[in-house]
Amino acid sequence: LVMVLVVSITYAYFTAQATSSEQQVTTGTVKLAYSDPQNNEPYVIAQNIKPLVREDAIPRTEEGLLDQESAKAAIKTFTLTNTGSEKLFVDISLDELTLPTDLKRYDFMYALYENGKNVSNGSFEYMENGTKIMEHLVFESGESKEYQLCIWIEETNKDQSVMMNETFSAKITATGTKYWETPAEYFTFDETTGEISDYIGSDTDISIPSKINNVAVTSIGKTAFNEKNLTSVIIPNSVTSIGSNAFASCSGLTSANIPTGLTSIPESL
């Protein structure tokens, strides 16, 4: 299931365009719909974008939310809705990139916000076509979430004039797949603390449940997955803390997400 939204940015102005005000692609019971506040005129204009400090590019309110009205970054707002009967994992990637060498730098930045909360950010320095900027977003059946994709030049107090003369374009692609979890019996779980302390399964690709025996999984303990033969891990957004060395010595681990509910990250995972 793939939903596509086209975004273009030119550094005298910014424009974002979708082929229609709403798109929906259906595969069986998996459905994902897109809409944006521009309806039949899905364009956003931001004049005279120049290098900005982050506080000006994407300022925050006292409540910690994105203050979109005073933001100076180029921003595209869109909503994703799971209109099917299946719970979904959703990935967001950038395709059909037009990324000149002068913009393929650490100071050409993006940030993705979900319902006002920063869930992903990075630079375009190593960006390639099809790079995922967010993975394994969880959508319950019928759930809608609003996103803002912010793109700007981070101020470095150096000459960045060459960047302002270049044009960037990309196509945002949202891909939905059926949600799945690794069986609860593969984990050692303390129901009194909500902590997973060990993994006793043999699967190399795992999706940690958000609940075990109807108790929320909120913590991954120290060394819980140390030296396990893992290649990918999906951590639910219910997890707010991860202990030190939780995934130490997992030499084959190539993919792991950072849950949006995480409040602290240890120095060593």
Side-chain angles (χ1 to χ4, degrees), residues 53-109:
V53 295
R54 189 182 182 95
E55 290 76 13
D56 291 334
I58 42 177
R60 314 293 287 170
T61 65
E62 292 183 0
E63 294 77 20
L65 299 176
L66 170 66
D67 185 3
Q68 187 168 336
E69 290 186 1
S70 61
K72 296 180 181 178
I75 297 178
K76 176 59 187 176
T77 298
F78 59 97
T79 298
L80 299 179
T81 304
N82 178 5
T83 58
S85 60
E86 301 281 1
K87 188 175 181 179
L88 298 181
F89 279 132
V90 175
D91 297 344
I92 299 176
S93 60
L94 297 180
D95 294 295
E96 298 184 15
L97 278 177
T98 298
L99 185 61
T101 302
D102 288 336
L103 290 180
K104 209 166 187 178
R105 296 167 42 140
Y106 71 94
D107 48 351
F108 187 44
M109 306 291 293

Side-chain angles (χ1 to χ4, degrees), residues 4-40:
V4 169
L5 163 68
V6 177
V7 177
S8 300
I9 299 174
T10 301
Y11 268 88
Y13 61 90
F14 165 75
T15 179
Q17 181 177 8
T19 56
S20 66
S21 60
E22 181 173 344
Q23 301 174 30
Q24 181 170 300
V25 181
T26 305
T27 303
T29 56
V30 175
K31 302 178 182 179
L32 191 65
Y34 158 79
S35 61
D36 66 51
Q38 287 77 36
N39 296 317
N40 293 324

Side-chain angles (χ1 to χ4, degrees), residues 195-198 219-226 242-247:
E195 181 174 280
I196 288 176
S197 59
D198 196 10
S219 176
I220 296 175
K222 295 180 180 179
T223 69
F225 295 89
N226 182 41
I242 299 177
S244 60
N245 299 307
F247 296 94

Side-chain angles (χ1 to χ4, degrees), residues 84-151:
S85 60
E86 301 281 1
K87 188 175 181 179
L88 298 181
F89 279 132
V90 175
D91 297 344
I92 299 176
S93 60
L94 297 180
D95 294 295
E96 298 184 15
L97 278 177
T98 298
L99 185 61
T101 302
D102 288 336
L103 290 180
K104 209 166 187 178
R105 296 167 42 140
Y106 71 94
D107 48 351
F108 187 44
M109 306 291 293
Y110 72 86
L112 182 69
Y113 288 80
E114 176 187 279
N115 295 334
K117 181 177 181 181
N118 185 206
V119 294
S120 174
N121 59 79
S123 79
F124 287 92
E125 184 173 10
Y126 301 108
M127 184 73 69
E128 300 292 342
N129 195 51
T131 298
K132 294 179 181 179
I133 60 173
M134 192 64 195
E135 296 183 79
H136 305 126
L137 297 163
V138 177
F139 280 72
E140 299 288 345
S141 176
E143 185 173 18
S144 291
K145 297 178 184 179
E146 184 181 82
Y147 292 91
Q148 290 89 27
L149 177 61
C150 306
I151 300 177

